[in-house]
Amino acid sequence: MARLAVSSDSEDDKPLATATNGRAKANGSNANGKRPLAGSGSDLSDDDKPLAKRAKGSTNGASASAANGNASKRKVAEASDDDDDRPIAQTLKSVAVPMPGAVKQSDDEDDVPLAKTNGLGGRGRPRQSYKEESRSAEDDDDSDVPIAKKAAKKRPSNGNGKSKQPPKKKVKKEESDPDASSDEDVPLAQKAPAAKAKAVPKPAATKRKSEPTTPAVKKAKVEVKKEVKKEVKKEASLSPVKARGKKAKSEDAEADAQAKAEEAEEEESYKYWEALNAAGDGSQKWTTLEHNGVLFPPPYQRLPSSVKMLYDGKPVDLPPESEEVAGFFGAMLETPHAQDAQFRSNFFDDFKTVLGKHPAYNGVKIMSLDLCDFRPMYEYYEAERAKKKAMSAAEKKEAKKVKDAMEEPYLYCLLDGRKEKVGNFRVEPPGLFRGRGEHPKKGKLKLRLYPEDMVINIGEGTKIPVPNIPGKWREVTHDNTVTWLANWKENVNGNSKYVFLAAGSSLKGQSDIAKFEKARELKKHVDRLRKDYTADLTSKIMADRQRATAIYFIDRYALRAGNEKGTEEADTVGCCSLRYEHVTMEKPDKLILDFLGKDSIRYYNELKVEPQIFKNIRLFKDGKTELDDLFDRVTTTGLNKYLQSYMQGLTAKVFRTYNASVTCQQQLEKLTDPDATVAEKILAFNRANREVAILCNHQRTVSKGFAASMDKMNDRLRALKYQRRKLRYALLIQEPQLKKKRKELVEEESDLDDDWIATYEDEQRKKEIEKAEKKFEKEKEKAVAEGDDEPKASILKDRIEAINEEYDRLKGERGSTTVELKSAKPSEKLEEAIEKLDERIKNFRYQITDKDEGKEVSLTTSKTNYIDPRIIAAWAKKYGVPIEKVLSKSLITKFPWAVEVDADFVF
């Protein structure tokens, strides 16, 4: 059957508008990244840095000593009034430990600008010493009061309205520096740093022994130990004075890394799925929200004066507005889009509109697209692409550094005091609309967006972000019942587009959980619903019979419900909007469905249906013409209303999620052999996933490069066989008696002929020489960078000679069973190497089979949107398959709640 390209997008991506049951308490803070939000303390002063990283001689006084976790009492004595009144971010770096759900902010903190709260712009509780912690534990009433006010509150008055400083306390000599007694009156900035810095104690309230240590924490702690060991080894060769300095540095590093490890543990311990908030419309989704808006693309850069489009062979001097639009088409000149009649027509209509507002400077009138020559623009853009591709590694690294610095402020937001990653924060640049399939508006101009087009949603009382280009936001709203950060209306289809949090964020995760839980809930009602709609298939009321037949198609074949389309929208249909022309009948029980589905993807399926369904379709078609609706008495709204009488929140698309998940679970149970290898289990998983993709019509056309890709895979398989044959010959030379005992050692590979071997060895020779040359160039660059002498050219020459000698020797062995390995190996080692290659060849064959079977089906969409990821995670645990083998890194990030499921989970 024909299978065409399928969109990776799904209407199920949108958050569901229903509440879910089962709330539990969270146990920590969020596990998202740690880059600070721009404008919120990303450029930290010395005062804002963690103590372990501060320069020696820091002037931050008591705040520095307290944050360093020193047991010394000197920190109390040295405190100053100025420190107490500084914003939190300038005294102690806060490590946020937000509670699940909304985090109530104090009135005082709400007025503090984002950049002056803490290192991430958050308002979490700062780290405390043991004494401070015990005091705060005893006095819960002022736990939310800013530090400066707490200190003033507890300090006795001196009678003139000012608070007294506490009396200085003597510091034990063994706890201070060697010269502590002599420098007591020296200003803090001039005092020597403490010889030992202890890690800041973690507040007891955030420690959860029942939680396993996360990989990030383990990694951080291992790195700490490694660094400390390195420093300790160096100390032996140092003088006593230097050794003490080194020791202090190593302990500072240990404290800093330990603090980071603890912070990672606290962040990762926040599990939003254990504190699931309601996801229904109108419910509050957040309490506080801070972000930096969206990132607009840079303004248009004019082409060089020598690059101009031609009209009827003459150069056209276009103003920047018109030149930019012409460049859009010029850049796509060699693509299928530029040859498409509909695309060309829509582009030229919009191009003429722009030219009407911004005509050519030299007065050229452009009346026909066929007379336009965009080749000079195309060649310029191709040259620019080639330059970018030819950039050195250092240049690419520098370009990426600049790009990352520009994007950094927009990567994260603060949601209820937690750092959460933002999804599509980049504003879509102008260009030509491509659409999917036969979209009627493909080729139309997507206009450049400005701040005046954008609505920003942010917490009330929060600092409004400033756009990165001139302009003012169209509107700033404070709606905590929605989860979008910004929205705008695009000009081509008039659709609203939104900026949401990233796929792995808590709000997205809660929406996903609600969606799959709703599909699981359907299990309790589906039998009753099927019984009822089966009975209605013979109803005398035509509306009921049509509705029952429509539900049959939605339930059994995962058809989308379908909505009415406007005249300017693509003619895509679903079940309720099927027309007479979309269904062909073949007796006795065959229906052929052929129509454009979502995103203009063709749906073609030949169905063998029950006699009553066949009879109903014939009845519905009776007396109608090609363009008449098949289900003319059913609407999507009415259908969903009927479904909700069985279960709250039930709609037609819940069936797709339910049936996809059930099908996956059934196929996994059927196809998985517990005793199979991991590669065989992965093949079984992909076959189960393929059944789901076929059910949901996630089809695609075979890519143009598929044949070439398969050829490469077959060549890689032959290369493995080539290596195995060499090892077999070497083993038979050492153990000739095995020729009779083990027939597989003397069997020739059917696809290893002399011509292929000659081609393979010649290609490998070239690759080895290129690799040696690249390595030599890197050695030269490194030597120049470090100020050393460049390696001599003779070194490269010797390496190439050695490569040629080796491949000349292999050339002489062609057609012979006599081989000589690079390094001699005993028979046992040869046996082990052959066994490993046997396993690799076996597994690679499974990969080739899997790729060939999946050439017409997209497996990504079903895993992303329809299959409950807990089914996949439980299967992987049950059968010992690494989760990363069946779920991509992005999906593991999207579904962290699913990865923690038990192996006995059943949908």
Side-chain angles (χ1 to χ4, degrees):
M1 75 176 62
R3 305 178 193 273
L4 297 181
V6 68
S7 164
S8 62
D9 295 327
S10 165
E11 60 190 345
D12 285 327
D13 288 335
K14 301 175 184 176
L16 288 176
T18 38
T20 56
N21 298 327
R23 299 177 176 86
K25 293 184 178 179
N27 56 6
S29 57
N30 190 18
N32 283 333
K34 297 181 182 177
R35 257 186 281 186
L37 199 66
S40 60
S42 58
D43 297 324
L44 296 174
S45 66
D46 203 47
D47 288 333
D48 289 327
K49 296 179 182 177
L51 264 288
K53 286 188 173 181
R54 288 193 193 174
K56 290 187 178 181
S58 171
T59 60
N60 202 21
S63 296
S65 300
N68 228 358
N70 241 331
S72 172
K73 299 178 182 177
R74 185 174 54 193
K75 60 179 177 283
V76 179
E78 293 170 349
S80 67
D81 286 330
D82 294 334
D83 281 336
D84 284 330
D85 292 326
R86 291 182 185 176
I88 296 174
Q90 297 180 9
T91 54
L92 293 172
K93 181 169 182 179
S94 172
V95 178
V97 188
M99 297 303 292
V103 178
K104 181 171 177 62
Q105 307 294 332
S106 69
D107 293 335
D108 301 288
E109 276 191 78
D110 283 339
D111 296 327
V112 180
L114 176 60
K116 294 186 178 182
T117 50
N118 60 30
L120 299 175
R123 297 181 171 119
R125 183 163 62 90
R127 293 184 181 274
Q128 300 168 312
S129 67
Y130 285 120
K131 288 193 174 182
E132 289 169 337
E133 186 180 4
S134 62
R135 282 200 301 269
S136 64
E138 292 169 2
D139 187 6
D140 290 334
D141 295 335
D142 65 351
S143 58
D144 290 328
V145 179
I147 293 174
K149 292 191 175 184
K150 281 189 188 178
K153 176 182 173 182
K154 294 184 179 182
R155 201 176 293 148
S157 173
N158 60 5
N160 57 3
K162 295 183 180 180
S163 58
K164 290 183 180 180
Q165 281 286 79
K168 290 187 178 181
K169 298 182 180 180
K170 293 181 180 180
V171 181
K172 293 181 182 179
K173 193 166 186 178
E174 59 269 23
E175 292 180 351
S176 61
D177 293 329
D179 300 325
S181 58
S182 60
D183 72 349
E184 191 168 339
D185 297 323
V186 179
L188 289 174
Q190 299 175 18
K191 289 188 181 183
K196 186 172 183 179
K198 296 181 181 178
V200 179
K202 185 178 179 180
T206 66
K207 187 67 177 175
R208 298 277 302 262
K209 291 185 179 180
S210 60
E211 294 172 10
T213 306
T214 61
V217 178
K218 288 181 180 178
K219 185 177 179 182
K221 291 182 178 179
V222 168
E223 288 175 355
V224 171
K225 292 178 181 178
K226 285 181 179 178
E227 291 299 320
V228 173
K229 285 180 181 178
K230 287 179 183 179
E231 295 297 333
V232 170
K233 287 180 181 178
K234 291 179 182 179
E235 287 181 22
S237 60
L238 299 172
S239 64
V241 176
K242 289 184 178 179
R244 282 198 300 272
K246 279 282 182 180
K247 186 175 180 181
K249 285 182 180 179
S250 69
E251 288 169 343
D252 283 347
E254 180 181 359
D256 183 45
Q258 180 71 20
K260 285 183 177 179
E262 291 173 355
E263 186 175 338
E265 187 172 18
E266 288 167 359
E267 287 190 1
E268 292 198 4
S269 65
Y270 176 68
K271 299 178 181 179
Y272 58 81
W273 53 95
E274 294 181 359
L276 187 62
N277 292 330
D281 277 346
S283 64
Q284 182 173 317
K285 307 297 190 303
W286 46 267
T287 301
T288 62
L289 175 63
E290 305 173 44
H291 60 86
N292 282 334
V294 291
L295 178 62
F296 290 91
Y300 173 67
Q301 298 293 322
R302 295 217 60 178
L303 298 175
S305 57
S306 59
V307 180
K308 296 184 184 299
M309 71 165 279
L310 306 177
Y311 185 73
D312 200 13
K314 298 177 182 178
V316 183
D317 190 10
L318 293 171
E321 294 84 0
S322 301
E323 181 186 81
E324 181 179 25
V325 178
F328 294 151
F329 192 86
M332 301 170 65
L333 198 59
E334 295 296 330
T335 67
H337 297 288
Q339 318 307 322
D340 183 88
Q342 183 70 58
F343 190 95
R344 291 170 64 87
S345 175
N346 286 336
F347 159 72
F348 194 58
D349 287 344
D350 284 355
F351 186 36
K352 286 189 295 184
T353 302
V354 174
L355 286 169
K357 298 178 181 177
H358 308 282
Y361 290 141
N362 56 355
V364 176
K365 299 291 183 182
I366 298 175
M367 305 301 294
S368 169
L369 182 60
D370 292 335
L371 295 178
C372 294
D373 183 1
F374 300 93
R375 181 66 53 178
M377 290 180 165
Y378 170 77
E379 291 174 349
Y380 171 77
Y381 287 124
E382 284 297 301
E384 289 299 303
R385 288 192 193 101
K387 284 181 186 177
K388 190 173 182 179
K389 194 174 181 180
M391 288 170 63
S392 66
E395 289 172 328
K396 288 179 181 177
K397 187 176 180 182
E398 185 60 30
K400 185 178 184 302
K401 186 178 178 182
V402 172
K403 180 175 176 287
D404 290 346
M406 180 177 64
E407 294 181 348
E408 185 177 3
Y410 306 92
L411 288 171
Y412 298 94
C413 72
L414 281 173
L415 180 79
D416 292 341
R418 297 187 306 272
K419 189 177 179 184
E420 299 258 14
K421 195 168 185 179
V422 180
N424 52 328
F425 59 85
R426 301 175 193 84
V427 174
E428 200 172 336
L432 302 181
F433 178 69
R434 303 189 186 191
R436 290 194 174 102
E438 295 301 318
H439 201 289
K441 292 191 176 182
K442 57 185 175 181
K444 293 192 71 66
L445 176 64
K446 293 188 297 182
L447 299 176
R448 181 177 289 274
L449 293 166
Y450 296 94
E452 287 76 13
D453 303 308
M454 200 73 50
V455 177
I456 294 294
N457 189 29
I458 199 164
E460 196 165 358
T462 301
K463 183 180 177 182
I464 307 302
V466 179
N468 67 306
I469 61 173
K472 293 184 178 180
W473 307 116
R474 179 162 71 88
E475 183 184 346
V476 177
T477 186
H478 313 288
D479 188 353
N480 63 7
T481 66
V482 297
T483 60
W484 52 267
L485 278 58
N487 83 58
W488 68 95
K489 187 167 284 190
E490 52 90 14
N491 66 290
V492 176
N493 295 307
N495 295 330
S496 293
K497 294 201 170 184
Y498 298 87
V499 174
F500 290 106
L501 297 185
S505 66
S506 60
L507 290 181
K508 280 280 191 179
Q510 289 170 2
S511 175
D512 287 336
I513 294 170
K515 178 176 76 171
F516 291 116
E517 281 301 311
K518 186 184 293 182
R520 287 185 82 197
E521 179 70 15
L522 178 56
K523 285 197 305 181
K524 302 175 183 177
H525 311 279
V526 72
D527 290 338
R528 180 167 54 96
L529 176 59
R530 284 172 177 167
K531 181 180 177 181
D532 288 352
Y533 80 65
T534 301
D536 284 343
L537 290 174
T538 56
S539 174
K540 293 182 180 180
I541 301 173
M542 185 58 69
D544 291 350
R545 185 178 289 207
Q546 284 193 6
R547 183 186 63 210
T549 307
I551 295 174
Y552 169 88
F553 282 116
I554 289 169
D555 182 22
R556 297 292 182 88
Y557 301 107
L559 264 63
R560 291 184 173 88
N563 294 302
E564 293 182 3
K565 299 288 179 181
T567 55
E568 293 188 349
E569 294 182 87
D571 185 22
T572 60
V573 299
C575 185
C576 295
S577 51
L578 284 172
R579 296 192 293 270
Y580 182 107
E581 62 181 324
H582 296 139
V583 184
T584 304
M585 305 180 70
E586 290 184 4
K587 291 182 178 180
D589 56 3
K590 187 177 181 180
L591 297 178
I592 301 173
L593 272 61
D594 190 358
F595 58 89
L596 287 182
K598 184 183 177 184
D599 295 324
S600 297
I601 303 302
R602 184 188 183 196
Y603 181 96
Y604 181 91
N605 208 348
E606 297 180 6
L607 313 175
K608 188 174 181 179
V609 298
E610 284 83 349
Q612 187 61 46
I613 297 295
F614 191 84
K615 180 181 178 180
N616 284 356
I617 296 298
R618 185 177 60 197
L619 180 64
F620 301 159
K621 294 185 78 170
D622 188 38
K624 295 180 181 177
T625 62
E626 291 286 311
L627 299 179
D628 288 337
D629 288 336
L630 192 64
F631 298 101
D632 55 339
R633 304 190 184 190
V634 178
T635 63
T636 304
T637 304
L639 180 67
N640 285 332
K641 187 175 181 181
Y642 171 79
L643 291 175
Q644 287 173 16
S645 68
Y646 286 85
M647 184 188 110
Q648 183 180 1
L650 179 60
T651 62
K653 70 180 178 182
V654 177
F655 276 93
R656 285 174 66 83
T657 308
Y658 168 78
N659 284 315
S661 297
V662 168
T663 300
C664 181
Q665 182 128 34
Q666 291 173 347
Q667 290 295 314
L668 286 175
E669 291 172 358
K670 176 182 175 183
L671 299 173
T672 308
D673 179 2
D675 300 322
T677 64
V678 170
E680 290 172 309
K681 290 172 183 173
I682 292 171
L683 180 60
F685 169 80
N686 286 336
R687 283 175 172 164
N689 191 7
R690 199 168 292 122
E691 289 299 315
V692 177
I694 291 170
L695 172 71
C696 296
N697 193 41
H698 298 152
Q699 303 176 30
R700 63 181 179 186
T701 53
V702 179
S703 63
K704 293 180 180 178
F706 178 77
S709 177
M710 288 296 288
D711 286 342
K712 285 183 179 179
M713 291 189 77
N714 284 320
D715 281 339
R716 286 173 61 191
L717 180 62
R718 289 191 189 100
L720 293 173
K721 292 179 179 179
Y722 169 86
Q723 296 171 29
R724 183 173 67 179
R725 189 168 83 160
K726 288 286 184 184
L727 293 174
R728 284 177 173 179
Y729 285 165
L731 178 61
L732 290 174
I733 291 172
Q734 295 183 25
E735 304 284 346
Q737 72 276 10
L738 295 177
K739 289 181 181 179
K740 295 181 179 180
K741 294 180 180 180
R742 295 174 56 182
K743 292 182 179 180
E744 76 274 7
L745 295 178
V746 294
E747 286 179 355
E748 285 295 331
E749 302 286 0
S750 59
D751 50 355
L752 287 186
D753 54 63
D754 291 340
D755 290 339
W756 183 88
I757 291 173
T759 303
Y760 172 73
E761 288 180 353
D762 289 343
E763 288 176 352
Q764 290 300 111
R765 184 198 297 258
K766 290 178 182 176
K767 288 179 181 178
E768 289 286 341
I769 291 173
E770 288 175 3
K771 187 177 177 181
E773 289 172 343
K774 287 180 180 178
K775 183 180 178 182
F776 184 74
E777 288 301 318
K778 286 183 178 180
E779 289 173 352
K780 284 174 65 176
E781 290 177 5
K782 185 178 179 181
V784 171
E786 295 178 355
D788 297 334
D789 295 334
E790 290 188 15
K792 296 179 180 179
S794 59
I795 295 175
L796 176 61
K797 184 179 178 182
D798 292 341
R799 291 175 183 172
I800 293 175
E801 284 180 2
I803 293 169
N804 284 326
E805 285 177 8
E806 172 64 18
Y807 281 94
D808 287 342
R809 182 183 64 77
L810 292 175
K811 186 177 181 180
E813 291 178 357
R814 290 175 193 169
S816 169
T817 58
T818 303
V819 300
E820 180 185 344
L821 300 179
K822 262 188 176 183
S823 57
K825 294 181 180 178
S827 300
E828 295 80 7
K829 293 291 183 182
L830 289 173
E831 291 267 18
E832 290 177 10
I834 291 171
E835 287 176 5
K836 287 180 180 178
L837 277 173
D838 287 340
E839 189 65 23
R840 286 182 65 188
I841 289 169
K842 181 181 175 182
N843 291 340
F844 199 70
R845 280 192 174 123
Y846 288 134
Q847 292 179 34
I848 292 174
T849 301
D850 194 22
K851 187 176 181 70
D852 184 56
E853 290 179 356
K855 61 180 178 288
E856 294 180 316
V857 180
S858 172
L859 301 182
T860 305
T861 309
S862 53
K863 288 193 291 187
T864 305
N865 299 310
Y866 294 107
I867 300 173
D868 190 326
R870 291 172 292 188
I871 297 171
I872 301 173
W875 172 85
K877 288 182 180 180
K878 183 177 180 179
Y879 293 102
V881 178
I883 189 69
E884 61 272 10
K885 296 288 185 181
V886 289
L887 287 180
S888 65
K889 185 178 179 182
S890 61
L891 289 181
I892 292 173
T893 302
K894 178 179 172 66
F895 302 125
W897 47 273
V899 177
E900 294 197 358
V901 76
D902 294 331
D904 57 358
F905 172 85
V906 177
F907 178 76

